[in-house]
Amino acid sequence: MSESEVKQYSFSEVKKHCDNKSAWIVVQNNIYDITSFLNEHPGGEEVLLEQSGKDASDPFEDVGHSSDARELMIRYKVGEIIESERKPVKQKNTDWSSGNDTVSSDNSFKSWIVPIVLGILATIIYRFYFL
Ligand code: HEM
């Protein structure tokens, strides 16, 4: 039953809403009617109009929008892309607290080994051939 509450649209329907009279964008298979948000967008109206009528998931994620922005967009949601046209949602790991610190310090230790070994090798070769 809840399925019918969310309206489903195809990309060909979304494509019709591509100007400042009616602007829809798709982010992660959700459709947003951002017509009234165009001149409120902190990133400017231009970028939104450029993405209107199409899938803006990549540019949206590339900007690194804040969680505030993600909360804000919920109120503009008007539907979802029909099942057969949905694209796989890319999971961006924006959870900085999940901490890969130990891994990265491991990596930085490993990154020292190569120059050290190369240095030792170079010293041996130098001594062997030139002294
Ligand atoms: C409903 C959809 C969107 C909402 C609610 C939204 C909201 C916001 C908000 C609140 C900001 C201020 C910074 C932040 O809090 O992250 C922002 C900045 C920005 N947004 Fe969006 N945005 C949307 C879609 C897009 C799209 C599709 C693009 C396409 C490229 C875009 C490009 C930008 C840019 C370039 C900035 C400026 C970043 C900066 O100055 O550092 N936004 N947006």
Side-chain angles (χ1 to χ4, degrees):
M1 270 308 198
S2 60
E3 280 276 304
S4 59
E5 282 168 28
V6 182
K7 286 193 181 162
Q8 313 265 314
Y9 299 96
S10 65
F11 271 106
S12 62
E13 180 61 39
V14 173
K15 224 187 260 177
K16 295 177 195 161
H17 305 266
C18 58
D19 53 33
N20 57 8
K21 290 186 189 71
S22 180
W24 288 10
I25 57 161
V26 178
V27 177
Q28 318 294 20
N29 300 315
N30 294 310
I31 305 167
Y32 303 92
D33 181 347
I34 45 150
T35 320
S36 63
F37 179 66
L38 287 172
N39 51 18
E40 288 171 32
H41 183 224
E45 182 180 20
E46 223 25 44
V47 281
L48 288 189
L49 280 174
E50 226 168 74
Q51 299 303 326
S52 289
K54 50 188 179 184
D55 191 330
S57 307
D58 288 345
F60 180 85
E61 296 300 345
D62 287 349
V63 169
H65 280 93
S66 64
S67 49
D68 276 358
R70 283 160 206 276
E71 243 165 65
L72 183 66
M73 70 198 288
I74 296 170
R75 71 174 79 151
Y76 299 103
K77 183 168 167 176
V78 289
E80 287 173 6
I81 291 295
I82 53 170
E83 194 122 17
S84 60
E85 291 187 6
R86 282 188 201 160
K87 297 185 178 166
V89 172
K90 284 184 211 157
Q91 285 296 332
K92 283 243 170 171
N93 187 9
T94 45
D95 184 4
W96 301 102
S97 65
S98 74
N100 286 330
D101 286 4
T102 39
V103 176
S104 69
S105 59
D106 261 16
N107 281 346
S108 68
F109 175 69
K110 275 182 203 147
S111 67
W112 278 101
I113 292 179
V114 176
I116 288 169
V117 170
L118 282 178
I120 293 169
L121 271 178
T123 312
I124 293 169
I125 290 168
Y126 178 77
R127 287 191 147 244
F128 188 75
Y129 282 106
F130 299 106
L131 293 180

